[in-house]
Amino acid sequence: NFANRARYLRTEYWTKTSIRRRNLRRNLKKKGKYIMKTIYRGKGETIVKEGEETDEAYIILDGEIEVTKKGKYVATLSQNQIFGEIALVDQRPRTATCTAKTAVTLGQVTRENYLSLLKHRPEAINPILRIVTERMRNLMQIMDDIARIERKR
């Protein structure tokens, strides 16, 4: 049915994208030091809240994150997946809430770190740009699928 298909497509949008850990480690260095801070959160802790205005993106190093929108489950993200990446380039409110489904270890990248990389090592942001591009393509596929479903109704 339409609701199940829409739920599946939303999950595909979030979960089809991840960063290869090797590329992540290599690209998120500046002068030999990692530019991301490692943070730890316990099960049930909210990392980002829908509607908040913050400027960090997070890469899941270990554990799982549950994504919800308007209180409804959207997806579960796991190791090497990124969330909050839009905040690095766009100063708009968060589009979803991300909560630790398990204890998590996260790499935190701030807008300041991102802009520094953009200036000094622009090739280092390619993994993040790939994620944004893949998610945009997934969103376009979702829109096409929804339009097809609507035409069949």
Side-chain angles (χ1 to χ4, degrees), residues 28-88:
L28 292 179
K29 280 187 172 183
K30 181 181 170 191
K31 296 181 182 177
K33 295 174 77 177
Y34 289 113
I35 59 119
M36 65 180 188
K37 176 180 169 184
T38 302
I39 62 171
Y40 305 90
R41 295 292 182 260
K43 179 180 178 179
E45 286 189 56
T46 299
I47 315 302
V48 298
K49 188 173 181 180
E50 185 175 357
E52 278 183 338
E53 292 186 25
T54 59
D55 68 352
E56 303 92 13
Y58 299 90
I59 298 153
I60 304 168
L61 303 176
D62 190 41
E64 292 184 328
I65 295 290
E66 184 173 273
V67 182
T68 57
K69 184 154 180 69
K70 296 182 181 173
K72 294 186 179 187
Y73 172 82
V74 174
T76 297
L77 305 178
S78 58
Q79 188 175 28
N80 297 331
Q81 291 186 300
I82 187 171
F83 61 97
E85 72 283 352
I86 294 172
L88 297 176

Side-chain angles (χ1 to χ4, degrees), residues 62-142:
D62 190 41
E64 292 184 328
I65 295 290
E66 184 173 273
V67 182
T68 57
K69 184 154 180 69
K70 296 182 181 173
K72 294 186 179 187
Y73 172 82
V74 174
T76 297
L77 305 178
S78 58
Q79 188 175 28
N80 297 331
Q81 291 186 300
I82 187 171
F83 61 97
E85 72 283 352
I86 294 172
L88 297 176
V89 294
D90 187 358
Q91 296 177 327
R92 297 186 56 132
R94 296 289 187 171
T95 59
T97 296
C98 296
T99 306
K101 187 173 182 176
T102 64
V104 293
T105 304
L106 304 168
Q108 180 186 53
V109 181
T110 65
R111 184 178 298 124
E112 180 182 336
N113 297 128
Y114 173 81
L115 293 175
S116 177
L117 274 178
L118 188 58
K119 182 176 180 181
H120 300 290
R121 289 195 55 225
E123 73 281 2
I125 63 165
N126 282 338
I128 294 171
L129 292 176
R130 277 191 211 99
I131 296 290
V132 172
T133 301
E134 286 179 42
R135 286 190 176 160
M136 187 183 313
R137 286 187 178 149
N138 290 345
L139 183 59
M140 295 307 293
Q141 182 63 50
I142 290 168

